[in-house]
């Protein structure tokens, strides 16, 4: 038996907000009956000593995001 999944509420490259910050959706994956989003957090002002490493990406469920 196949299940019909609803479409994700958000799309790649869309700006979203969540508790603790905001970011841009970089990847979307289905997870049973919901969607999981990889969100790249917005960067603040660059520190005097420059940036070290890549930007921070967090994984959030759809219910944790709003547009």
């Amino acid at each position: 038996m196949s299940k019909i999944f609803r479409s994700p509420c958000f799309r790649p490259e869309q700006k979203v907000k969540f508790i603790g910050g905001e970011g841009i959706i970089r990847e979307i994956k289905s997870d049973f009956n919901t969607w999981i989003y990889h969100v790249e957090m917005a960067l603040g002002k660059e520190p005097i000593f420059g940036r070290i490493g890549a930007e921070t990406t967090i994984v959030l469920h759809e219910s944790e995001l709003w547009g």
Side-chain angles (χ1 to χ4, degrees):
M1 176 179 6
S2 65
K3 289 187 175 186
I4 298 175
F5 291 101
R6 63 176 178 72
S7 298
C9 291
F10 305 99
R11 64 188 185 288
E13 305 303 319
Q14 181 177 353
K15 286 187 177 184
V16 292
K17 295 181 181 180
F18 50 91
I19 294 176
E22 57 185 38
I24 298 173
I25 295 175
R26 295 299 181 198
E27 189 176 347
I28 302 172
K29 294 184 178 182
S30 63
D31 181 37
F32 187 59
N33 61 350
T34 188
W35 294 94
I36 301 289
Y37 296 84
H38 293 229
V39 179
E40 184 179 283
M41 294 179 66
L43 298 175
K45 185 177 176 182
E46 184 169 347
I48 296 170
F49 52 83
R51 299 226 185 265
I52 302 172
E55 290 80 9
T56 301
T57 301
I58 58 173
V59 179
L60 297 168
H61 281 97
E62 189 168 79
S63 62
E64 299 174 296
L65 299 172
W66 62 90

